Amino acid sequence: MSSTSQKHRDFVGEPMGDKPVSALAGIGEKLGGRLEEEGFDKAYVVLGQFLVLKKNEEFFKDWLKTTCNANSKQSADCYNCLKQWCDTFL
Amino acid sequence: MAAQLTDEELRAELKALGQNVGPVTATTRRLYETKLTQLRSQRRKSSTAASGVKPSRKLIGFSSDESEGEAAERNGQKFRHRRTPKSRPSRTVNRSENSHEHVADSRGASAKARVSVDSRSSRKSGVLGSVVGARRRGATPPVHDHKPSPDDEEYSDTDGDMPDGQASSYAVGDEGSSVNGQDSFDMNRTFNKTGGDATPPSFSLNTWGSGKNSTPRTSTPTKPSTPDTNSRLKPIANHHANHIHSNRKQSKMTVWVSSPLSRPPLPTHRRPPSSSPTPQQPNGGTPPASKNYNSEEDILQKEFQTAEDLNSVSGGVYWGQYVSRVLLVLMALFFLVLALMYLNVRWDLVTPKTTTDNFLLCGPDVTTEGCSENKNKVAEALEMVHHLHHKLSVLAGEYLCGDQDFGLSRNMSRSDAVQFLSKYRCTKPVFSLALRLITENPHWGVRLMTSKGEDTAEVDAVDWLESTQPDMPLLCRLQRAFSIVFLRILAVLACVAMVWGGVELMRYRWRRQEEDNRLMYNMIERILDALKKHAEACRHNTDLQPYLAIPHVRDMLIPPQERKKLGQVWDRAVKFLSANESRIRVESQQISGEPFTVWRWINVDTPNNRLYPPINELTGRVKAWQGEAFDVDSSVNSRPYSPTPCLKIRNMFDPDIETGEDWHVHIQDAILEKCGDNNGIVHIAVDKSSREGCVYLKCNSHDAAGKAFRALHGSWFDGKLVTVKYLWLDRYHQRFPDALHAAGPLRPSNPLKTSLMHLDKVEVEDHLL
């Protein structure tokens, strides 16, 4: 199967609840800190932004890049993670 | 330049360029601005390459100034046209009331909006922030009033109703929207291009609405992004027009109009996929992951149709070409044959008559023997010949057509002829002359025969006269023709039928033979099994004799009812075993005093003395489960809970290479065995004609389906990777109506677990013994 990380699988396997933003795949400590500074302190807030961008891949990745300087792999991971979470639970 | 736009305009701009973007919020604004500049620079590059801006009715062309005016004109004209025949003052009153409501609501909301503008929640601020923006813009009515826009003149009717300039903008919008609502195929077409709405309130209304309203809520096509106040106010008017238009459409949603704006706009409930073009799912299945299933439903449809469609399409394509050609050729052949037959029948007409009549006249050229010089005599004789011919023909016709007991024969005797001709005052010399003429002209069709029946040319030896051209009435001819044709066809059909009957007989016999063989081998296997078991039992229990009497074995294996039926099979099995099986020895032993022919199992230590699953001789592959390809539980595509109780299992077999009568039973058994102790399987169906080797499974609960999914998905079977997906229950029932009432848990047809043998030999063998 495709190479999904354990983090991805953990996130996508259950409702996110109040998980911190660093629980998202692709978002580590550094990026998580930057996001929190911007106000996205919980994963669901990032989910909100994802949904406001209408789950558009390009926009979300761009947003992530500009907001917390994520590189393309990190933003792709984060996007896939959220997308799959939405597919499963939304 | 992009930074000076309001949120709505930004959105409108992006929409105009084909990007269906979400709301412009504090966090998304920067993103969209950059995107807009990007797109604009792109467009500028491409537009300089292309010809100028096309003043098309589509939205794409409306970003420049010049098109704005014309589009407005056009829109305005449309408004004008549409409005006049349908002037209903009562409606305007109603609408004005509604719009008052909306006005009040949005005013009320704006206060809150200003307060919450500073909140960090992106969505909140986004939505209400733009409401604030709208209000800000809306709060410049004087500009609007004084603007001599063409729109105003047309809406002058309703202006009178609204003292408030602001409200007039709504009324203006009303008109526009009413016109939209009334007819609007054209309008909608122009509006169609942009999916959502620029105005966030109405956008959120859209999403919180029933979701059924998929008609475009659009900004006007005419409104460009120039920071011209005129142009800016037009968008307002039409934005609000659409805002109200949307409300009108969802009349039952007017209640929602006030509520969403007053409460935090968090879509706590699920967002229906209204803005996306996927179709509404008919099944109330499970709301979560609905979007996923929309596309999956399409795939489902495709799946279900695949087999039939493929067959029909491909078959049709191939055969269509050939059938027409074949038909054409057949027709040509048919006509050719017809022509030939016709020619055959009428050969004499086609070929010119080369024969001439010979009248035995003496002339300067002709000096045959016995020619007569008298023409009168010849004429008389000819007359006689004619009569004779006619009579003979009639006679022959009667003979052929009429009843056989007429008594007459085809021919007429000489004396009868003379008698007949005496009516015509025929004298003997004339008669003989006539006969001579006949002999000279055989093509007249009268045969002269001796009493023995031979043809003769001697006038004196003639005893019998016969006509070769029987004169039959038409009906008789038809009857004869029909009967001949009919008989011929019958003969042909009989031949065909016999051949076909022979073929069928052969096939039937062959099938019977196969069946018999199968039964025999089945019996043999059972015998061997019994013997083996007995031998094992003997090993453990030394009291038993290591052999079994043949009649005892028979009675063990065949229940009394079937003994007579299977008697022959048994005999053949016994014969086969004694001839071909080396592990059994036939002996004669004494059992309780009586001599019996017994079988002794010669214990050969085979590591795996079980029945094997059917092996494909060509590929050497075994119909068995061969392990897992990946870890199903933690796979990316596996779901934590199964949405439906029905599964579609793919790639279990290849329909082209399956042989035998009941391979599908093997497949079913394999699946049931793999699912193990899952007692929830109620229906299973192997689609023999599918190209992908599909098997459909229905369970009685979602959990059972989930278990089955995890057991089957990703396993290797018969060298193929099996995949499983979920199916909608109602589709499953549509396809297999008898699954509606299936209740009992299905188990494999035999407890041998032939398909699992490769997986865990130790376990299975223990289980067997």
Side-chain angles (χ1 to χ4, degrees):
Chain A
M1 282 295 154
S2 69
S3 53
T4 53
S5 64
Q6 187 57 41
K7 217 173 167 192
H8 175 106
R9 289 198 286 271
D10 287 340
F11 192 82
V12 166
E14 57 179 356
M16 68 170 77
D18 265 341
K19 283 187 188 165
V21 74
S22 49
L24 283 165
I27 308 290
E29 276 193 36
K30 210 160 48 111
L31 295 182
R34 287 190 203 144
L35 279 172
E36 281 171 22
E37 273 170 36
E38 298 287 321
F40 298 87
D41 55 344
K42 293 282 185 190
Y44 60 75
V45 187
V46 179
L47 173 71
Q49 183 68 7
F50 177 68
L51 297 176
V52 156
L53 291 168
K54 297 179 105 169
K55 304 191 199 171
N56 183 312
E57 176 168 8
E58 191 197 330
F59 284 147
F60 182 72
K61 284 192 194 169
D62 281 348
W63 172 80
L64 209 53
K65 269 190 216 165
T66 51
T67 310
C68 61
N69 281 340
N71 63 31
S72 55
K73 182 185 188 298
Q74 289 162 331
S75 45
D77 283 346
C78 188
Y79 168 77
N80 283 327
C81 177
L82 280 174
K83 178 162 174 303
Q84 199 179 342
W85 190 93
C86 288
D87 286 346
T88 314
F89 294 101
L90 207 50
Chain B
M1 182 162 150
Q4 298 164 14
L5 289 174
T6 64
D7 292 336
E8 290 159 12
E9 286 168 349
L10 181 60
R11 206 149 171 282
E13 269 303 283
L14 283 165
K15 205 160 298 174
L17 296 167
Q19 300 273 326
N20 190 1
V21 297
V24 180
T25 73
T27 48
T28 59
R29 190 188 169 89
R30 213 176 10 171
L31 208 61
Y32 292 151
E33 280 170 6
T34 45
K35 183 83 187 170
L36 188 61
T37 43
Q38 245 178 27
L39 286 172
R40 274 196 191 146
S41 56
Q42 239 177 26
R43 273 200 71 254
R44 238 171 261 131
K45 262 185 260 172
S46 62
S47 69
T48 50
S51 58
V53 174
K54 301 185 285 284
S56 70
R57 284 160 151 248
K58 302 298 176 198
L59 296 169
I60 300 188
F62 285 150
S63 61
S64 61
D65 289 354
E66 46 187 68
S67 54
E68 172 203 332
E70 327 174 14
E73 277 285 349
R74 225 175 295 125
N75 271 347
Q77 284 187 348
K78 273 183 279 185
F79 286 149
R80 197 183 299 137
H81 288 318
R82 302 280 163 64
R83 206 170 40 94
T84 38
K86 304 183 183 180
S87 55
R88 289 180 206 152
S90 60
R91 282 190 69 188
T92 56
V93 170
N94 281 346
R95 266 179 276 118
S96 65
E97 286 171 4
N98 271 344
S99 59
H100 271 292
E101 210 177 77
H102 301 320
V103 170
D105 289 333
S106 42
R107 277 197 195 129
S110 64
K112 291 187 197 138
R114 278 195 210 105
V115 167
S116 60
V117 126
D118 296 331
S119 79
R120 302 290 287 177
S121 160
S122 59
R123 240 175 285 117
K124 232 189 216 181
S125 62
V127 174
L128 297 180
S130 35
V131 171
V132 170
R135 293 298 305 155
R136 248 188 293 127
R137 283 192 300 284
T140 56
V143 183
H144 188 228
D145 272 344
H146 297 321
K147 182 173 68 88
S149 74
D151 298 21
D152 267 352
E153 290 159 3
E154 290 140 26
Y155 308 144
S156 51
D157 282 4
T158 54
D159 274 357
D161 292 341
M162 309 289 169
D164 187 9
Q166 178 55 47
S168 79
S169 78
Y170 284 97
V172 164
D174 274 357
E175 274 310 318
S177 67
S178 77
V179 169
N180 273 351
Q182 282 165 12
D183 164 63
S184 78
F185 177 68
D186 281 340
M187 296 302 294
N188 271 348
R189 202 154 33 88
T190 59
F191 287 179
N192 256 344
K193 211 41 186 123
T194 66
D197 194 353
T199 336
S202 49
F203 170 77
S204 46
L205 282 170
N206 279 348
T207 55
W208 298 330
S210 62
K212 289 193 193 64
N213 188 1
S214 58
T215 59
R217 210 127 326 275
T218 69
S219 60
T220 63
T222 69
K223 307 318 161 191
S225 63
T226 58
D228 184 10
T229 49
N230 285 352
S231 59
R232 208 185 290 181
L233 292 170
K234 276 202 192 121
I236 304 168
N238 284 320
H239 286 178
H240 291 305
N242 293 319
H243 160 99
I244 297 164
H245 173 55
S246 71
N247 294 337
R248 195 77 29 64
K249 274 246 163 180
Q250 314 169 26
S251 56
K252 52 187 173 248
M253 293 302 159
T254 48
V255 178
W256 292 62
V257 170
S258 47
S259 46
L261 294 176
S262 52
R263 96 181 121 111
L266 276 170
T268 50
H269 57 277
R270 293 187 180 90
R271 236 177 93 170
S274 62
S275 42
S276 60
T278 56
Q280 289 291 325
Q281 57 186 42
N283 189 1
T286 46
S290 57
K291 192 140 187 212
N292 184 26
Y293 291 138
N294 275 336
S295 53
E296 201 170 309
E297 190 182 300
D298 294 334
I299 300 174
L300 281 181
Q301 278 173 333
K302 270 185 238 143
E303 291 295 337
F304 267 120
Q305 289 169 1
T306 306
E308 293 102 21
D309 278 353
L310 262 183
N311 281 343
S312 63
V313 166
S314 64
V317 165
Y318 288 151
W319 282 107
Q321 294 174 355
Y322 293 146
V323 164
S324 57
R325 282 185 206 161
V326 165
L327 269 181
L328 210 60
V329 168
L330 276 178
M331 260 182 32
L333 271 176
F334 170 71
F335 279 122
L336 204 64
V337 166
L338 205 61
L340 280 176
M341 287 186 61
Y342 182 73
L343 284 179
N344 217 5
V345 167
R346 305 301 231 128
W347 189 246
D348 49 348
L349 285 184
V350 174
T351 54
K353 275 211 198 93
T354 52
T355 51
T356 55
D357 296 328
N358 184 358
F359 292 130
L360 284 181
L361 287 172
C362 287
D365 301 338
V366 182
T367 47
T368 50
E369 198 185 283
C371 60
S372 52
E373 287 109 2
N374 197 340
K375 280 206 182 140
N376 286 342
K377 275 220 172 135
V378 171
E380 268 185 48
L382 274 179
E383 214 187 291
M384 295 307 134
V385 168
H386 280 148
H387 290 312
L388 209 55
H389 182 258
H390 179 73
K391 176 77 180 154
L392 284 172
S393 296
V394 167
L395 204 60
E398 278 174 4
Y399 175 77
L400 283 176
C401 277
D403 314 329
Q404 292 308 326
D405 49 309
F406 207 87
L408 286 178
S409 57
R410 278 186 80 158
N411 32 25
M412 193 191 272
S413 65
R414 190 190 182 118
S415 44
D416 286 339
V418 172
Q419 207 179 17
F420 169 66
L421 284 175
S422 60
K423 277 190 288 180
Y424 300 99
R425 282 172 287 121
C426 174
T427 58
K428 212 153 186 329
V430 174
F431 183 65
S432 54
L433 186 58
L435 283 180
R436 285 215 346 259
L437 281 172
I438 289 175
T439 55
E440 290 295 321
N441 300 293
H443 59 270
W444 283 346
V446 180
R447 279 171 62 199
L448 303 171
M449 300 183 300
T450 62
S451 50
K452 292 195 205 74
E454 297 160 1
D455 284 326
T456 173
E458 293 291 316
V459 173
D460 297 329
V462 168
D463 279 330
W464 296 97
L465 296 105
E466 189 180 324
S467 162
T468 54
Q469 294 163 352
D471 190 14
M472 297 185 276
L474 184 63
L475 196 62
C476 184
R477 279 188 198 271
L478 278 177
Q479 272 178 359
R480 283 170 63 89
F482 270 137
S483 58
I484 289 175
V485 167
F486 184 64
L487 282 172
R488 284 205 195 130
I489 289 179
L490 216 60
V492 167
L493 279 181
C495 284
V496 167
M498 279 196 339
V499 167
W500 179 78
V503 166
E504 277 300 302
L505 199 69
M506 298 282 297
R507 246 192 272 171
Y508 168 70
R509 282 179 57 186
W510 177 73
R511 237 182 299 148
R512 269 276 298 279
Q513 251 180 11
E514 280 228 341
E515 185 67 27
D516 280 342
N517 277 350
R518 196 180 62 83
L519 279 176
M520 186 185 79
Y521 288 126
N522 201 3
M523 182 64 67
I524 286 173
E525 280 172 4
R526 284 165 65 190
I527 294 172
L528 287 176
D529 257 350
L531 283 176
K532 283 181 219 162
K533 275 196 213 141
H534 185 75
E536 276 297 317
C538 283
R539 240 192 284 153
H540 299 304
N541 181 358
T542 46
D543 286 339
L544 297 174
Q545 300 290 344
Y547 46 75
L548 279 177
I550 295 182
H552 290 168
V553 176
R554 181 194 66 204
D555 297 335
M556 260 197 303
L557 292 178
I558 314 179
Q561 308 96 299
E562 295 177 14
R563 268 179 218 162
K564 198 146 181 218
K565 218 173 28 159
L566 297 177
Q568 206 201 22
V569 180
W570 173 258
D571 289 336
R572 289 180 66 201
V574 171
K575 231 183 292 180
F576 185 87
L577 275 178
S578 38
N580 297 3
E581 180 62 59
S582 60
R583 293 174 287 179
I584 297 183
R585 192 158 62 200
V586 182
E587 300 172 341
S588 180
Q589 295 280 354
Q590 291 266 354
I591 298 184
S592 44
E594 239 185 281
F596 276 103
T597 345
V598 301
W599 277 326
R600 183 196 288 274
W601 173 255
I602 302 180
N603 198 4
V604 181
D605 254 318
T606 53
N608 197 356
N609 47 356
R610 295 190 59 235
L611 290 178
Y612 290 90
I615 297 183
N616 188 338
E617 288 97 25
L618 291 175
T619 63
R621 290 213 301 247
V622 186
K623 261 203 189 356
W625 294 101
Q626 293 158 330
E628 306 249 328
F630 50 83
D631 188 9
V632 177
D633 287 333
S634 62
S635 111
V636 179
N637 290 330
S638 73
R639 307 175 209 280
Y641 37 86
S642 39
T644 76
C646 303
L647 300 177
K648 173 174 177 177
I649 307 159
R650 261 189 286 180
N651 215 11
M652 287 293 296
F653 56 87
D654 190 351
D656 293 333
I657 62 174
E658 292 298 339
T659 55
E661 292 281 333
D662 54 354
W663 53 270
H664 64 282
V665 179
H666 288 302
I667 302 284
Q668 281 180 359
D669 285 345
I671 290 181
L672 292 171
E673 287 159 12
K674 188 72 164 59
C675 290
D677 293 325
N678 191 343
N679 283 323
I681 301 177
V682 299
H683 178 262
I684 181 169
V686 173
D687 186 359
K688 290 197 190 186
S689 59
S690 82
R691 303 228 58 84
E692 297 179 325
C694 295
V695 180
Y696 297 94
L697 194 75
K698 178 183 169 189
C699 302
N700 59 8
S701 73
H702 291 237
D703 281 339
K707 275 172 60 183
F709 180 91
R710 280 188 280 282
L712 294 169
H713 183 62
S715 309
W716 291 99
F717 179 74
D718 194 15
K720 295 192 267 276
L721 183 60
V722 173
T723 58
V724 186
K725 37 184 277 202
Y726 290 101
L727 291 182
W728 288 119
L729 188 62
D730 56 352
R731 283 203 187 275
Y732 194 92
H733 285 155
Q734 268 174 26
R735 179 110 186 233
F736 302 105
D738 51 330
L740 269 169
H741 307 296
L746 286 179
R747 303 236 60 100
S749 67
N750 56 53
L752 292 170
K753 293 210 178 193
T754 54
S755 66
L756 290 172
M757 58 165 280
H758 288 284
L759 288 183
D760 199 341
K761 292 190 179 172
V762 177
E763 268 186 36
V764 171
E765 282 205 7
D766 278 350
H767 178 87
L768 173 67
L769 294 175

